[in-house]
Amino acid sequence: MTAIEGRKSRIASNRSRGTTLDSDRRKKIKAAFTKFPATRILVIGDIIIDHFIWGSVSRISPEAPVPVVNVTGENLLLGGAANVLNNIYALGGEATLCGLIGRDIMGDHLLELIERLNSSTAGIIRSANRPTTKKTRIIAQHQQVVRFDREKTGPLQKEDLETMLTFLAENISSFQAVIVSDYNKGIVSGELMAALKKIVGKHPEIPVIVDPKPKCIERFSGATILTPNSHEAELMAGLEIRDEQSLAGAAALIQNKLKVDAILITRGEAGMALFEKGKTPFLIPTVAKEVFDVTGAGDTVIASLALARAAGLSLEEAAIVANQAAGIVVGKLGTATVTRAEILGTLR
Ligand SMILES: Nc1ncnc2c1ncn2[C@@H]1O[C@H](COP(=O)(O)OP(=O)(O)OP(=O)(O)O)[C@@H](O)[C@H]1O
Ligand SMILES: [Mg+2]
């Protein structure tokens, strides 16, 4: 039995749509929220553009047994690491994205969407070696008919990696926190993570918060905080999570293997659990009352966690904020975002 398993976990108080906090803690969170606009976060990861095509279906094609969609609308949204950026701006923070897009029309659209946020595009590399990752979903009668992806995954070309690393080395000191948003497209490679570790190593005050995919997990060793979901934590630990004890066991295994300060395991409808080195596990039930769409909840979690941490809240308080934000975002349709006012409204 590990030290963590042996300890009883604390459970945050939670009532329907609000979390009950003592007034000092609420005040502290409220004060930290005022610092969000002065907080600069660096988001490194797989940049994606989400393309939605909306329409209606009234017949099956005579050409093949497929529905014919009559297109009524189309839109482009920031996805992957760019959705984390979007969440940070909705929360009133400031962030810069570092990753790769193609020299193509979707790359132009992406830059336009990012400029609309008033976010610097200096860390975005336009590569001749791969297209902008684009996920197209056709939605008819409120139902997804098909999704198709245009992408080239795998390791970066040397020249692209070098451009990214130069940007990171030259700019790291202007950020208060780093988020790594891994969508398995190849940006978050072992090489990138090793170089990032070296660069951030000179600034121990900057936390590196990683939303990991459970592949080659050694890449994440030495990160400050990991935010896997339960399934990812199971794969990372090689242990099935059945109950609180195995949850703590998985967290301890990952912590020991990767030497990270903390793990925040997001547990869908069960909320989240924070495991901090040397502390009692902290379990937070979800505050979601109605759930419409859980897409992108993980992006909301890492964005709010990083902002709250960079604004000076303890990790436990930052997790409460992230859980509140996620509980609100799953009650909205589509890949949505959350504001500080909405979070404060649910903190009593
Ligand atoms: N079905 C649900 N009911 C209530 N709350 C939910 C639900 N799904 C997600 N949440 C909230 O959102 C948080 C993050 O969700 P989840 O654990 O699904 O992350 P994830 O799998 O990384 O999400 P993503 O699909 O964005 O990668 C949870 O910790 C919880 O607070
Ligand atoms: Mg996730």
Side-chain angles (χ1 to χ4, degrees):
M1 185 183 276
T2 64
I4 287 177
E5 283 171 28
R7 269 185 255 130
K8 265 204 156 152
S9 54
R10 283 164 307 134
I11 299 185
S13 155
N14 161 48
R15 283 200 200 107
S16 67
R17 198 141 162 66
T19 290
T20 311
L21 295 178
D22 61 58
S23 70
D24 281 353
R25 213 167 215 195
R26 190 181 185 279
K27 263 187 217 150
K28 196 176 163 205
I29 289 176
K30 204 173 168 188
F33 277 10
T34 65
K35 295 190 196 143
F36 280 13
T39 307
R40 295 195 68 206
I41 313 271
L42 176 65
V43 182
I44 307 171
D46 295 305
I47 303 174
I48 295 170
I49 191 153
D50 284 320
H51 177 206
F52 287 90
I53 299 175
W54 310 91
S56 60
V57 173
S58 56
R59 64 193 178 103
I60 297 294
S61 167
E63 298 161 13
V66 293
V68 177
V69 178
N70 225 328
V71 175
T72 52
E74 246 178 291
N75 63 351
L76 293 168
L77 296 170
L78 296 171
N83 185 45
V84 176
L85 186 87
N86 199 28
N87 270 274
I88 292 173
Y89 277 88
L91 287 160
E94 202 194 317
T96 298
L97 192 55
C98 181
L100 216 109
I101 60 173
R103 292 183 187 162
D104 46 22
I105 185 89
M106 282 303 138
D108 294 343
H109 287 309
L110 240 158
L111 287 184
E112 212 180 292
L113 290 170
I114 289 164
E115 276 161 9
R116 244 187 255 169
L117 292 173
N118 256 333
S119 175
S120 160
T121 55
I124 300 174
I125 292 129
R126 296 203 77 161
S127 169
N129 301 308
R130 61 167 83 191
T132 304
T133 303
K134 177 185 176 193
K135 293 186 189 178
T136 303
R137 298 171 180 89
I138 299 184
I139 319 256
Q141 258 89 21
H142 307 291
Q143 214 177 303
Q144 196 175 128
V145 178
V146 68
R147 182 182 119 186
F148 48 97
D149 296 354
R150 288 196 183 94
E151 62 183 20
K152 186 175 165 200
T153 59
L156 295 188
Q157 295 286 318
K158 201 164 172 266
E159 66 205 67
D160 291 332
L161 180 67
E162 273 166 11
T163 315
M164 264 183 89
L165 295 182
T166 305
F167 173 82
L168 294 176
E170 284 174 0
N171 294 280
I172 195 74
S173 56
S174 51
F175 299 101
Q176 279 98 56
V178 175
I179 290 178
V180 176
S181 175
D182 183 16
Y183 274 84
N184 256 349
K185 305 298 180 199
I187 297 288
V188 186
S189 61
E191 256 177 309
L192 174 91
M193 290 307 290
L196 178 67
K197 201 168 155 180
K198 264 198 202 145
I199 293 167
V200 181
K202 295 178 195 133
H203 304 269
E205 72 288 356
I206 304 178
V208 177
I209 310 175
V210 182
D211 189 359
K213 285 285 179 281
K215 213 176 84 182
C216 310
I217 63 168
E218 300 71 30
R219 311 173 267 163
F220 306 122
S221 82
T224 318
I225 310 167
L226 299 180
T227 65
N229 63 24
S230 286
H231 183 58
E232 289 158 352
E234 277 184 333
L235 293 173
M236 290 172 87
L239 183 80
E240 192 190 341
I241 297 176
R242 280 166 278 103
D243 48 25
E244 272 180 33
Q245 202 177 347
S246 46
L247 178 73
L253 276 169
I254 300 168
Q255 245 162 338
N256 289 338
K257 211 186 289 186
L258 301 181
K259 308 282 173 242
V260 294
D261 289 357
I263 301 186
L264 181 72
I265 300 183
T266 60
R267 306 170 67 207
E269 59 192 16
M272 48 179 71
L274 174 66
F275 299 90
E276 246 183 300
K277 214 161 57 186
K279 288 199 182 167
T280 318
F282 184 56
L283 269 54
I284 321 176
T286 183
V287 295
K289 208 164 133 197
E290 292 171 309
V291 177
F292 286 115
D293 198 334
V294 299
T295 321
D299 294 340
T300 305
V301 167
I302 200 162
S304 47
L305 185 83
L307 272 173
R309 198 71 184 110
L313 291 175
S314 72
L315 201 43
E316 207 169 273
E317 289 155 349
I320 290 173
V321 169
N323 187 63
Q324 246 19 65
I328 297 166
V329 90
V330 297
K332 298 181 179 184
L333 273 180
T335 310
T337 55
V338 173
T339 66
R340 284 170 290 173
E342 284 175 306
I343 298 175
L344 281 176
T346 62
L347 282 175
R348 288 186 286 272

